[in-house]
Amino acid sequence: MSLKKEISKRRTFGIISHPDAGKTTLTEKLLLFGGAIQEAGAVKSNKIKKGATSDFMEIERQRGISVATSVLAFNYRDKKINILDTPGHKDFAEDTFRTLTAVDSVIVVIDVAKGVEEQTEKLVEVCRMRNIPMIVFINKLDREGKDAFDLLDEVEQKLGLTVTPLSFPIGMGYDFKGIYNIWEKNINLFSGDSRKNIEDTIAFDDITNPELDKIIGEKSASDLRDNLELVYEVYPDFEKQAYLEGKLQPVFFGSALNNFGVRELLDCFIDIAPNPRIKKAEEREVDPFEESFSGFVFKIHANMDPKHRDRLAFIKIVSGTFERNTPYLHVRQGKKMKFSSPNAFFAEKKEIVDISYAGDIVGLHDTGNFKIGDTLTSGEELHFKGIPSFSPEHFRYINNADPMKAKQLYKGIDQLMDEGVAQLFTLELNGRKVIGTVGALQYEVIQYRLEHEYGAKCTYENFPVHKACWVEPSDPKSEEFAEFKRVKQKFLAKDKHDQLVFLADSYFSIEMVKQKYPSVKLHFVSEYK
Ligand code: G4P
């Protein structure tokens, strides 16, 4: 098959949601449709369960599962689908943001009863900023929930989206009868005593057809007609181009648990979702159909076995093909590397493959060569943009608790930071190291992993920081910038890329800097240019 055909059939996407909205359940149902798994319950949830075990043992459990679910690939109709896993837990939000740099589109799952929740808002905002095409799936229609129009309003207002429903529910909860599929112009009935089965798909081009009353009852038929009239009046027509540009978001309703509305979602997704997209590098835009290979590391996963310190670096192929045993340029290190056992992902398995195409993810065994954001190419010096660090929420000094193991400690910290577990800041004044994390759980993880994987011990000390701000002086040689550095020297640090960061102790001190040093810009994201 030609390069063009192979790349055109790839659909690489992520499912995002607030925990418990049904992401795992939907993923599983999609895999069932693809024939990639045979039974429900096969996909393990990667969420941190509350309960018997400590949160932190849960993280270790989660880490084990997330190796298996990092990429779930399967074929459906004539397409190759790659689902990239995104952790729902808020302490892992940064992981999810990074994974979103590797997707070409997303499906947003919303719980019909809970509506738009906090984690969904944050994730959708990132997708919106990058114009990632989004489809919304409103889940759990078998339960009582919010009115469909109220929910559509909420999605528009809270998420800042412009929606157009491509399906519409007939009743809800106890009265849930099925779904009218606006996209395919048919009705799916939800029925049976257990109400777990899809009875039939009935084509209905014309919903004024009196047959409808016989099938779903007069009241439901009349409600559906009224609702659809309103839908056609209020919402814009679906336009594929607007969806692809991130300007319009189609909405589907269903129940993932009951496998209801899922096939419709998948069939529409296959038709409209984009194949790999053009990606911006600092030097130029890279087209997926270019023959020469390029890709970037968006995730690094440490081996679960502490005795083998090898890691799996996940590369999103941006253009061309990645071939086994072929030398590629590791741009940051300026050296050529060959990989004898690149892993490709199928459902929940990984296998060594000879060739992968733009859109695919390959997992490369790594002994410490890769950092998140690294670029690999056929030879061109490219640097892909778009893997920013966000200001952490928590900050603590890290101290060495075993002076004999200083080397192990620093190596461990270095490698854990390369994996993106947390961010390291080194204070300008005294060289002390400060760890910044999105959630408090990460401190336990770091301590545990330093001890078990590197044989090093650490302690923490509180460091009251409100926000990390990346500093951009309009003139690095100006008097004003020199004064800023002198006055604030206690709060200045370097991040891992040697960028200057102001660790502000309060909202107030940020405002003061803005007023006093107007030529010094403060950014909450590391990649601001
Ligand atoms: P997540 O990955 O987004 O966190 O959510 P997950 O799929 O694990 O689903 C969260 C809970 O919601 C699960 O119940 C799941 O069975 C349920 N659920 C998912 N889709 C539907 C649906 O369409 N209808 C209904 N009624 N429930 C749904 P749980 O009790 O937490 O877990 P389990 O013991 O059932 O696995």
Side-chain angles (χ1 to χ4, degrees):
M1 203 185 284
S2 74
L3 179 75
K4 185 155 195 290
K5 256 194 166 156
E6 281 289 354
I7 297 177
S8 305
K9 61 184 232 195
R10 263 120 182 115
R11 298 286 179 274
T12 302
F13 76 106
I15 304 180
I16 56 177
S17 73
H18 192 87
D20 273 352
K23 182 170 69 79
T24 311
T25 313
L26 178 64
T27 306
E28 184 171 278
K29 296 298 144 90
L30 294 176
L31 288 174
L32 279 168
F33 274 114
I37 52 170
Q38 309 311 325
E39 55 183 319
V43 177
K44 300 277 178 304
S45 166
N46 70 1
K47 73 187 147 186
I48 314 280
K49 288 202 171 138
K50 294 209 171 59
T53 48
S54 81
D55 276 353
F56 135 82
M57 283 312 287
E58 268 307 302
I59 291 185
E60 282 302 290
R61 187 189 67 90
Q62 191 262 359
R63 214 155 62 83
I65 290 168
S66 75
V67 167
T69 59
S70 287
V71 186
L72 297 162
F74 62 95
N75 292 308
Y76 181 71
R77 297 194 347 217
D78 57 341
K79 300 291 189 292
K80 159 100 190 278
I81 297 181
N82 298 312
I83 307 181
L84 305 196
D85 189 39
T86 56
H89 193 286
K90 67 175 177 17
D91 285 9
F92 293 89
E94 187 116 4
D95 263 3
T96 300
F97 293 145
R98 281 192 293 260
T99 299
L100 291 178
T101 62
V103 302
D104 298 306
S105 70
V106 301
I107 293 179
V108 184
V109 182
I110 291 173
D111 182 321
V112 69
K114 296 193 178 139
V116 173
E117 295 172 271
E118 186 198 343
Q119 206 50 23
T120 323
E121 274 184 69
K122 284 195 188 147
L123 295 171
V124 166
E125 194 185 333
V126 173
C127 296
R128 229 185 35 223
M129 268 160 31
R130 299 193 187 139
N131 298 323
I132 298 177
M134 286 181 254
I135 297 179
V136 178
F137 182 71
I138 297 184
N139 190 28
K140 308 197 186 180
L141 262 286
D142 57 311
R143 287 196 185 162
E144 295 300 328
K146 299 188 181 184
D147 169 76
F149 286 109
D150 288 348
L151 261 174
L152 292 170
D153 272 359
E154 192 176 322
V155 169
E156 290 210 314
Q157 274 158 26
K158 282 201 182 163
L159 299 179
L161 304 181
T162 306
V163 300
T164 181
L166 287 187
S167 77
F168 208 84
I170 307 169
M172 184 184 293
Y174 183 73
D175 287 329
F176 183 49
K177 295 227 164 56
I179 284 172
Y180 182 74
N181 189 330
I182 298 173
W183 175 249
E184 290 176 2
K185 301 228 180 310
N186 57 34
I187 283 182
N188 268 330
L189 291 178
F190 189 63
S191 76
D193 285 344
S194 66
R195 292 160 50 86
K196 291 253 181 251
N197 303 316
I198 304 167
E199 189 175 70
D200 259 330
T201 302
I202 307 163
F204 260 105
D205 269 346
D206 175 12
I207 54 150
T208 57
N209 187 335
E211 274 298 302
L212 187 67
D213 302 68
K214 286 192 201 142
I215 295 169
I216 59 174
E218 265 175 47
K219 166 94 174 64
S220 296
S222 144
D223 287 350
L224 177 65
R225 288 183 187 114
D226 289 349
N227 286 339
L228 288 178
E229 204 178 307
L230 201 57
V231 165
Y232 294 131
E233 228 169 73
V234 173
Y235 297 99
D237 287 345
F238 175 73
E239 262 183 60
K240 188 170 164 181
Q241 195 51 33
Y243 154 74
L244 290 175
E245 289 169 8
K247 292 180 184 149
L248 183 68
Q249 288 76 28
V251 179
F252 282 86
F253 291 83
S255 165
L257 188 66
N258 296 297
N259 213 351
F260 200 81
V262 178
R263 187 195 57 76
E264 292 69 20
L265 171 74
L266 183 58
D267 281 342
C268 174
F269 172 83
I270 288 286
D271 279 348
I272 65 172
N275 53 249
R277 308 206 295 168
I278 286 175
K279 188 151 180 85
K280 272 193 192 143
E282 270 167 35
E283 294 76 6
R284 64 184 183 86
E285 288 193 340
V286 180
D287 191 296
F289 295 101
E290 289 176 19
E291 297 233 331
S292 54
F293 160 75
S294 66
F296 67 94
V297 180
F298 67 95
K299 174 177 180 141
I300 293 178
H301 210 298
N303 198 307
M304 288 298 287
D305 180 354
K307 284 187 231 82
H308 299 100
R309 205 174 293 146
D310 73 326
R311 315 186 289 180
L312 206 56
F314 290 80
I315 316 264
K316 163 84 185 278
I317 305 179
V318 176
S319 67
T321 55
F322 179 95
E323 287 165 49
R324 192 152 89 101
N325 284 327
T326 307
Y328 292 117
L329 176 68
H330 184 316
V331 174
R332 181 175 53 83
Q333 294 195 338
K335 70 175 185 194
K336 291 253 178 177
M337 296 173 80
K338 272 204 270 196
F339 302 90
S340 57
S341 51
N343 282 291
F345 302 87
F346 302 97
E348 289 193 278
K349 292 191 284 291
K350 52 187 174 54
E351 276 172 24
I352 293 173
V353 285
D354 290 329
I355 183 162
S356 304
Y357 296 84
D360 284 337
I361 311 298
V362 283
L364 302 179
H365 287 286
D366 172 40
T367 46
N369 281 306
F370 289 117
K371 288 186 194 207
I372 283 176
D374 276 347
T375 304
L376 272 183
T377 69
S378 296
E380 191 178 347
E381 297 247 345
L382 290 173
H383 298 85
F384 286 106
K385 297 172 90 156
I387 309 209
S389 301
F390 295 83
S391 172
E393 301 285 328
H394 305 265
F395 298 83
R396 290 185 196 169
Y397 285 118
I398 183 162
N399 298 321
N400 186 4
D402 181 353
M404 305 296 287
K405 298 282 171 65
K407 230 171 104 188
Q408 286 87 334
L409 180 79
Y410 292 120
K411 180 165 187 188
I413 295 179
D414 233 30
Q415 293 206 345
L416 293 182
M417 298 306 125
D418 290 352
E419 266 181 52
V421 175
Q423 292 180 54
L424 182 72
F425 302 98
T426 309
L427 288 182
E428 288 273 89
L429 195 62
N430 52 18
R432 284 192 77 179
K433 296 195 183 306
V434 175
I435 303 258
T437 65
V438 175
L441 278 178
Q442 264 94 339
Y443 290 106
E444 283 185 70
V445 174
I446 293 169
Q447 204 164 33
Y448 177 89
R449 289 189 58 193
L450 282 173
E451 189 169 341
H452 287 83
E453 292 172 33
Y454 299 89
K457 286 202 167 86
C458 73
T459 56
Y460 300 112
E461 215 178 300
N462 268 347
F463 185 41
V465 176
H466 167 66
K467 275 245 168 342
C469 312
W470 280 265
V471 179
E472 184 191 21
S474 58
D475 174 9
K477 294 206 176 80
S478 73
E479 213 14 69
E480 189 172 305
F481 185 50
E483 194 195 317
F484 164 77
K485 285 203 293 189
R486 200 168 48 244
V487 173
K488 294 291 175 197
Q489 59 175 318
K490 248 174 68 190
F491 304 98
L492 292 180
K494 288 273 170 70
D495 74 358
K496 63 174 189 253
H497 299 298
D498 254 358
Q499 294 191 105
L500 189 65
V501 179
F502 171 47
L503 300 174
D505 56 351
S506 66
Y507 168 77
F508 181 68
S509 70
I510 298 176
E511 289 305 302
M512 285 287 286
V513 167
K514 283 189 191 157
Q515 269 180 24
K516 261 181 106 174
Y517 311 103
S519 72
V520 179
K521 275 206 195 124
L522 301 179
H523 302 273
F524 297 126
V525 181
S526 67
E527 208 174 72
Y528 47 80
K529 278 176 198 146

